[in-house]
Amino acid sequence: MDMQAVLDRIHDEAQPLLGQGRVASYIPELAKVPLQRFGMAVSMLDGRLYTVGDAREDFSIQSVSKLFSLTLAFQLVGDALWERVGREPSGTAFNSLVQLETEQGKPRNPFLNAGALVVTDVLSTRFVQPEMALVEFLRRLSGNAGLQYDDAVARSELATGSRNRAMGHFMHSFGNLKNPVDAVIEAYCRHCAIRMNCVDLARAVGFLANGGVSPVGGEQVLDASSAKRLSALMLTCGTYDAAGDFAYRVGIPAKSGVGGGIVAHIPRTLGVCVWSPRLEHTGNSLAGSFALERFTSLIGQSLF
Ligand code: GLU
């Protein structure tokens, strides 16, 4: 199979979609991104890299960060995490408060904002600077020592993040946040504001395809069983309230963010990332979802 030809074809096919969908604007700084963008990168576990379009242009990873903060927290506390966060799809929006009340402040899964706040709380207990712990982790996983978070995006979200703050305080009232809520929210916003590109993320996710070992630096990030479990969570909960449809269409574990990035992997084979800023109504990149659907169809590989 000619992987470059596959990416070139997907790039061409995606062009008519680039004008469709809406960019996230509830974080004002995010609305400033250039709209007509499409990039995709595939990083094979043997190190071969394929790119197309704007694959080296940095974007705000937003909720894609939740995959990596979860990995760090899971390294620290393992299965004890599940006493504080569930593992079920929610059937609600990523920023919904509804279930938190009936379920006593325990978020349904770690990819909801509430779940990621609990994860960030775990990191805040362990690290003096939880935001830099994640940045440094991603530098190692991607091999890009220059990664940083974008302070303007973090401040923009902090200035408008009443809903996340509400969640934080609500969970604090149930004892499910241990650290000061404002500090947890600040670290969470900085995690979301990390800037990476498709190449960085395709490489960074490789450890999940590779039995928990980073193909970039050889670091044993997780044991193989844990890598399997986090990948299963991506499949069931990683693409907002569209995870069922996404699994149906694409058939591989993925995590998306409202910055328009989607990171995914094919076990034992490759890491992949696609970025296009305009989103469909559930919050996933419109052209990005299309691209991954075409990708698994054209290469004839998925989980199934
Ligand atoms: N920082 C965003 C928020 O908390 C992340 C949303 C996302 O990418 O899903 O709303």
Side-chain angles (χ1 to χ4, degrees):
M1 178 206 357
D2 183 343
M3 186 65 84
Q4 189 60 51
V6 167
L7 292 192
D8 290 342
R9 179 167 169 187
I10 293 171
H11 181 250
D12 289 347
E13 288 181 5
Q15 295 306 309
L17 299 178
L18 300 190
Q20 297 177 28
R22 284 221 305 257
V23 70
S25 57
Y26 72 98
I27 302 173
E29 204 56 31
L30 281 188
K32 296 184 184 167
V33 296
L35 298 181
Q36 295 292 116
R37 290 289 190 276
F38 178 90
M40 191 163 177
V42 172
S43 179
M44 310 299 291
L45 294 186
D46 63 13
R48 279 174 296 160
L49 178 72
Y50 302 91
T51 64
V52 74
D54 305 304
R56 292 186 189 272
E57 183 166 333
D58 287 348
F59 58 90
S60 189
I61 69 170
Q62 292 298 315
S63 277
V64 174
S65 66
K66 292 178 168 81
L67 174 62
F68 299 99
S69 53
L70 170 65
T71 303
L72 262 188
F74 202 67
Q75 278 184 340
L76 291 174
V77 299
D79 284 338
L81 185 67
W82 309 127
E83 288 159 24
R84 297 175 59 185
V85 194
R87 300 191 296 260
E88 291 293 343
S90 71
T92 60
F94 65 95
N95 56 3
S96 171
L97 283 134
V98 172
Q99 280 162 347
L100 276 182
E101 170 138 39
T102 50
E103 298 178 5
Q104 288 77 46
K106 180 176 176 177
R108 276 284 174 98
N109 70 66
F111 296 144
L112 296 166
N113 284 10
L117 288 176
V118 173
V119 164
T120 306
D121 188 60
V122 170
L123 301 183
S124 304
T125 298
R126 169 66 178 74
F127 298 107
V128 179
Q129 281 191 299
E131 57 275 41
M132 288 316 293
L134 188 62
V135 167
E136 277 155 21
F137 183 50
L138 284 167
R139 286 176 181 165
R140 294 202 302 280
L141 290 184
S142 65
N144 180 353
L147 293 188
Q148 217 8 305
Y149 65 84
D150 181 332
D151 202 42
V153 171
R155 277 190 281 112
S156 179
E157 182 169 3
L158 277 169
T160 55
S162 304
R163 184 177 274 258
N164 285 336
R165 247 179 228 109
M167 268 174 226
H169 284 286
F170 198 58
M171 290 190 289
H172 197 263
S173 77
F174 285 101
N176 203 13
L177 282 200
K178 318 282 182 199
N179 294 277
V181 174
D182 286 344
V184 174
I185 298 281
E186 199 159 308
Y188 166 81
C189 290
R190 289 177 175 162
H191 289 166
C192 292
I194 292 171
R195 291 182 69 75
M196 294 175 77
N197 59 44
C198 291
V199 171
D200 295 331
L201 280 166
R203 286 182 169 143
V205 77
F207 75 95
L208 286 172
N210 195 36
V213 178
S214 166
V216 175
E219 178 178 343
Q220 180 89 50
V221 179
L222 295 174
D223 59 51
S225 163
S226 302
K228 176 190 79 175
R229 293 171 200 286
L230 296 200
S231 298
L233 278 172
M234 291 168 78
L235 186 71
T236 54
C237 310
T239 43
Y240 304 116
D241 205 15
D245 190 53
F246 199 91
Y248 177 86
R249 287 168 55 194
V250 182
I252 56 176
K255 181 72 202 89
S256 53
V258 296
I262 310 177
V263 65
H265 73 86
I266 299 182
R268 292 169 291 283
T269 310
L270 58 82
V272 54
C273 179
V274 60
W275 170 59
S276 190
R278 290 185 195 253
L279 312 175
E280 36 87 319
H281 68 284
T282 54
N284 296 304
S285 168
L286 192 145
S289 303
F290 165 82
L292 287 174
E293 180 175 4
R294 291 296 289 141
F295 180 64
T296 53
S297 300
L298 287 170
I299 68 171
Q301 289 184 55
S302 71
L303 290 186
F304 305 105

